[in-house]
Amino acid sequence: MNFPEYSIADWHKLAARELKTRDLSDLTWNTPEGIAIKPLYTAEDLAELEHLSTLPGLPPYPRGPRATMYAGRPWTLRQYAGFSTAEESNKFYRDNLKSGQTGLSVAFDLPTHRGYDSDHDRVVGDVGKAGVAIDSVEDMKILFDRIPLDKISVSMTMNGAVLPVLAMFIVAGEEQGVQQDALAGTLQNDILKEFMVRNTYIYPPEPSMRIVADIIKHTASCMPKFNPISISGYHMQEAGATCVQELAYTIADGIEYVQAALSTGMKVDDFAPRLSFFFCIGMNLFMEVAKLRAARYLWADLMQSRFAPQNPASLMLRTHCQTSGVSLTSHSPYNNIVRTTIEALAAVLGGTQSLHTNSFDEALALPTEFSARIARNTQLILREESGLSKVVDPLAGSYYVESLTGSMIAEARKLIDEVDALGGMTRAVEAGMPKQRIEASAAKRQARLDSGEEAIVGVNRFASDSEENIELLEVDNQAVRESQLARLAEVRATRNEDRCQSALNKLSERAASGDWGLVQLTVEAARARATVGEITAALGREFGQHRARPQAISGVYGNEVSSHDDVAAIRQRVDGFVKSYRRRPRALIAKVGQDGHDRGARVIATAYADFGFEVDIGALFQTPAEVVRQALDNDVHLVGISTQAGGHKTLVPQVVEGLRAQGADNIVVICGGVVPPNDVGLLEARGVSAVYGPGTRILDTIPQVLDMIEHRLQQA
């Protein structure tokens, strides 16, 4: 049957009739990246797009790095996990492998990330809370007990203490009978993004980049099945980056790592085929699909133009993906199962090589066995029941997806050019440019959520009056620490101390010399049963320690919510405080322990400052005593503590007790972040005035906080 020809103008007329009085321009909207999204895409939108006309498995790879993709082999199901002791994590891993998981992804606790042994006085509240505690080879051997390291690939999220952790993994393999050349897996080893967003750094940027290059050089010659780095945008999006920022800065990081590896004397084809990437997948399904396609194209294009590799595999971007943690809500947590499913679908349609799906309860606590099983089964259902693995790149040719991919490429190039103008990503990080851009994006998004412009079902739209009671996992921090202390004592008592100290001294000498070979000497120290903390200190004697300077952006949050109904009343309330007490309300926004996730703290600091508070931002990794001292020195009315990693029950009450001991009962202490509901009453009983969970509107907290401050001042 023949149909008459219709034009775009015909569609406009039809749409206008359907909309009655509305203008068609109302249907166009801008993403947070500034990309205009139209209501209709046609073949005309594909004109002159540079990434088209290619096949899967061939450069520049927008349709996927493998010719047959999932039709040949499904993506790897790799669930990120680790908590408590090595024994507990080992049991969890073996159970998951029996249930269909095909690779391991290890989460380490924060003391391990930061290069501290579990007996250090700065990590009392952090041991075993947000990952597994590893102090020595003995812990690593238990972690992989009865897991054949010559058959199971292992991904390890480690950046700061990357040398001792890699070395202990190698030695654990050796003592299991598996040599280095048979070990398969991935080491995150992406230190640049730590300086930008995640903050589990130890040494300054220059020696940190030397460690990255040393590891790439070692694995290229000794560990051919191992990916020496996972260049990670995940934590950027979690810290508030837009998809374009995540894409651009991740690719720019990758280029910087290639240049660092080349400085060791290797050729690009010696190591580039083993580089891997790691992206976050949020709730804008098509944007995330386009991001992965654009990432593969940009990487191939920049690698070809800048380094001219001879091996096509050196142009290939292979990636692991994880569904977004920041999209999870503490309110109506079962909604998170749907969110994770949508994000997993986006990752698969975008062509990821492996995937982690978050558990629905992770905005409240570490996942339970029940919630982890649902997360794992989400992937299994997509893989086994949906038909997604039957066709290579099923969205190829979509007018919308291809146009969006082109827009992502163009916008990311603008940011990469900015990084290049500063002299590369290391210089850009030292200047603080990417961090400031990401923080501004985080503040803008929080403002959109607080104003209701951006919807979250169950939080600021369609909220339920009742909350579900769900079982949460509780890690006994004290018991884990005692277990680690006992094993540390045994290791130190039974090792050959002369051999251990000799190995540590040789490592320090190599660090001072500037020569390559840090990995091999760290392996020697690990064989001698040197601990994570001792190896870190041996390197630190020569490399020094990085200390970030806390800075806050201003105006971003306030400008975004300026038209909201609550704003005028809040400003009047702050002005009233100033008139009554002849000074502005002053707040210290602090982090305690080794939790470096500072998105929440910085957004709160920015918002409170925009509404007239004087705001001090505490340094990262403070002890409770250091927070108390800063609060007293700065004469604050309020201490707000941001917590994301489970140390709140130990650390936050210590701040309250420290203030009381100094006679500063008039200072209000509040807590925000990931706090299980059952812990709220405990904190309040210990003197915390309020606890604010994920999804709380900042605009609601300011009047409440002023009430608390005024009540304390009137009592004084």
Side-chain angles (χ1 to χ4, degrees):
M1 183 179 293
N2 293 322
F3 291 96
E5 292 284 335
Y6 293 104
S7 67
I8 296 295
D10 294 322
W11 179 84
H12 275 265
K13 292 176 183 177
L14 178 63
R17 285 201 301 271
E18 291 179 357
L19 293 171
K20 302 292 197 249
T21 60
R22 284 181 62 188
D23 191 327
L24 287 178
S25 62
D26 291 346
L27 299 180
T28 296
W29 59 283
N30 288 327
T31 71
E33 295 79 7
I35 297 173
I37 304 298
K38 304 183 299 181
L40 177 69
Y41 286 80
T42 69
E44 294 178 3
D45 292 292
L46 303 187
E48 300 180 4
L49 291 179
E50 58 184 290
H51 69 277
L52 297 179
S53 302
T54 186
L55 293 170
L58 296 173
Y61 303 111
R63 298 195 61 189
R66 304 295 184 193
T68 57
M69 288 298 290
Y70 309 141
R73 184 179 68 185
W75 66 92
T76 299
L77 197 160
R78 190 186 301 277
Q79 291 297 96
Y80 179 56
F83 56 90
S84 183
T85 61
E87 290 91 343
E88 288 293 320
S89 293
N90 172 262
K91 180 180 182 302
F92 189 80
Y93 293 157
R94 288 190 288 108
D95 288 345
N96 281 1
L97 289 171
K98 291 177 183 176
S99 300
Q101 187 169 313
T102 51
L104 296 180
S105 186
V106 182
F108 298 95
D109 73 352
L110 291 170
T112 306
H113 273 288
R114 295 269 296 139
Y116 291 111
D117 289 333
S118 297
D119 59 355
H120 198 283
D121 57 7
R122 298 191 72 89
V123 302
V124 172
D126 294 308
V127 177
K129 293 297 290 187
V132 60
I134 298 293
D135 291 317
S136 73
V137 168
E138 298 305 318
D139 293 323
M140 194 72 81
K141 288 170 63 178
I142 294 169
L143 185 66
F144 295 112
D145 181 43
R146 288 173 285 172
I147 295 174
L149 293 179
D150 56 344
K151 295 181 175 64
I152 298 295
S153 67
V154 177
S155 173
M156 294 183 288
T157 299
M158 178 52 62
N159 304 279
V162 65
L163 275 173
V165 165
L166 174 61
M168 290 173 187
F169 176 68
I170 289 171
V171 175
E174 288 176 352
E175 297 187 9
Q176 195 186 89
V178 180
Q179 297 305 307
Q180 290 186 51
D181 59 3
L183 294 172
T186 301
L187 191 65
Q188 191 161 102
N189 194 26
D190 177 359
I191 201 62
L192 287 173
K193 67 95 174 46
E194 298 297 325
F195 294 114
M196 276 190 269
V197 292
R198 191 164 174 261
N199 301 312
T200 59
Y201 45 70
I202 300 173
Y203 314 114
E206 189 172 337
S208 296
M209 288 296 288
R210 176 183 162 195
I211 290 171
V212 172
D214 199 288
I215 289 171
I216 294 174
K217 184 176 181 66
H218 178 87
T219 55
S221 60
C222 301
M223 304 175 73
K225 297 181 179 181
F226 203 81
N227 301 321
I229 188 169
S230 176
I231 304 153
S232 175
Y234 181 86
H235 306 93
M236 297 181 201
Q237 189 178 139
E238 293 292 271
T242 66
C243 282
V244 167
Q245 288 171 336
E246 179 194 7
L247 169 61
Y249 295 148
T250 304
I251 297 297
D253 279 353
I255 295 299
E256 192 83 348
Y257 290 130
V258 171
Q259 292 170 335
L262 291 173
S263 72
T264 70
M266 289 187 290
K267 296 180 180 178
V268 67
D269 289 326
D270 292 340
F271 62 87
R274 299 305 305 182
L275 301 181
S276 65
F277 287 77
F278 175 27
F279 286 102
C280 181
I281 304 296
M283 281 297 291
N284 189 329
L285 187 147
F286 291 107
M287 181 69 78
E288 297 293 353
V289 171
K291 180 182 73 183
L292 297 184
R293 296 164 62 83
R296 289 190 291 268
Y297 180 87
L298 278 169
W299 182 249
D301 183 57
L302 291 173
M303 286 292 287
Q304 181 64 49
S305 62
R306 299 190 184 194
F307 306 110
Q310 301 302 302
N311 183 353
S314 295
L315 307 175
M316 183 188 296
L317 184 149
R318 297 167 300 114
T319 189
H320 171 70
C321 288
Q322 180 173 336
T323 60
S324 173
V326 79
S327 72
L328 303 177
T329 65
S330 59
H331 301 290
S332 302
Y334 287 116
N335 289 348
N336 295 332
I337 299 173
V338 182
R339 294 187 179 100
T340 295
T341 303
I342 292 169
E343 292 166 351
L345 177 62
V348 172
L349 290 173
T352 189
Q353 277 59 71
S354 65
L355 179 62
H356 166 94
T357 36
N358 286 331
S359 299
F360 71 85
D361 51 359
E362 290 187 53
L364 297 166
L366 289 169
T368 62
E369 183 178 342
F370 170 71
S371 66
R373 184 168 65 249
I374 292 174
R376 184 173 61 249
N377 287 346
T378 299
Q379 289 201 55
L380 292 173
I381 290 167
L382 287 176
R383 192 182 75 187
E384 303 295 330
E385 298 185 28
S386 69
L388 282 172
S389 60
K390 305 298 184 184
V391 176
V392 179
D393 191 21
L395 291 183
S398 159
Y399 300 147
Y400 178 34
V401 170
E402 299 292 12
S403 178
L404 199 53
T405 301
S407 296
M408 294 285 283
I409 291 169
E411 294 301 314
R413 276 199 169 125
K414 295 176 185 177
L415 295 183
I416 293 170
D417 289 344
E418 286 185 349
V419 170
D420 289 342
L422 289 172
M425 204 53 167
T426 301
R427 297 290 170 261
V429 165
E430 290 172 343
M433 183 270 282
K435 187 175 185 68
Q436 290 173 359
R437 293 284 183 84
I438 291 170
E439 287 178 4
S441 294
K444 287 180 180 179
R445 181 166 192 261
Q446 187 62 49
R448 291 195 305 272
L449 294 172
D450 286 354
S451 67
E453 179 183 343
E454 185 172 330
I456 299 183
V457 173
V459 177
N460 64 2
R461 304 266 182 95
F462 311 107
S464 173
D465 293 332
S466 60
E467 284 298 318
E468 301 94 342
N469 285 323
I470 60 175
E471 181 182 347
L472 298 176
L473 178 66
E474 174 67 22
V475 173
D476 187 341
N477 163 247
Q478 184 62 31
V480 175
R481 190 165 185 268
E482 289 174 359
S483 171
Q484 291 302 118
L485 296 189
R487 189 172 296 137
L488 267 170
E490 183 180 358
V491 166
R492 288 175 178 146
T494 57
R495 71 189 181 188
N496 183 322
E497 194 63 29
D498 289 341
R499 179 189 174 199
C500 179
Q501 294 304 320
S502 174
L504 290 170
N505 289 335
K506 288 179 182 178
L507 183 59
S508 291
E509 291 168 4
R510 183 62 57 90
S513 73
D515 295 333
W516 306 111
L518 292 173
V519 173
Q520 189 54 45
L521 287 178
T522 308
V523 169
E524 293 296 334
R527 287 177 181 140
R529 274 11 185 211
T531 67
V532 167
E534 291 165 343
I535 291 170
T536 300
L539 293 164
R541 287 197 289 270
E542 304 302 330
F543 290 160
Q545 189 173 28
H546 179 73
R547 297 187 186 278
R549 291 174 296 177
Q551 296 175 325
I553 58 174
S554 62
V556 174
Y557 181 91
N559 290 338
E560 287 287 319
V561 298
S562 59
S563 61
H564 195 267
D565 294 341
D566 296 350
V567 168
I570 293 172
R571 292 194 189 283
Q572 288 176 359
R573 181 70 195 281
V574 174
D575 290 343
F577 182 97
V578 175
K579 290 178 182 177
S580 297
Y581 297 97
R582 301 186 179 221
R583 59 173 293 194
R584 292 195 172 278
R586 185 160 191 156
L588 168 62
I589 307 300
K591 300 283 296 183
V592 284
Q594 299 304 306
D595 174 17
H597 296 85
D598 62 350
R599 169 185 176 153
R602 290 185 174 276
V603 169
I604 292 291
T606 295
Y608 272 55
D610 286 352
F611 277 91
F613 279 66
E614 292 179 331
V615 177
D616 301 303
I617 302 177
L620 288 171
F621 315 122
Q622 288 183 304
T623 64
E626 289 166 345
V627 172
V628 169
R629 175 49 49 200
Q630 186 174 359
L632 296 173
D633 289 346
N634 293 5
D635 190 22
V636 303
H637 300 104
L638 170 76
V639 174
I641 300 174
S642 171
T643 178
Q644 304 291 330
H648 52 274
K649 289 205 299 184
T650 301
L651 299 170
V652 178
Q654 289 180 10
V655 174
V656 177
E657 292 158 9
L659 290 170
R660 286 175 178 166
Q662 296 295 323
D665 298 59
N666 59 314
I667 297 178
V668 174
V669 178
I670 63 173
C671 182
V674 179
V675 178
N678 291 341
D679 292 351
V680 173
L682 182 149
L683 292 177
E684 291 175 342
R686 300 285 294 275
V688 177
S689 295
V691 179
Y692 296 111
T696 303
R697 289 174 79 243
I698 296 176
L699 295 175
D700 292 336
T701 70
I702 296 175
Q704 296 168 8
V705 164
L706 287 171
D707 286 342
M708 299 174 207
I709 293 173
E710 290 178 341
H711 179 69
R712 292 288 178 91
L713 291 174
Q714 291 162 7
Q715 285 184 323

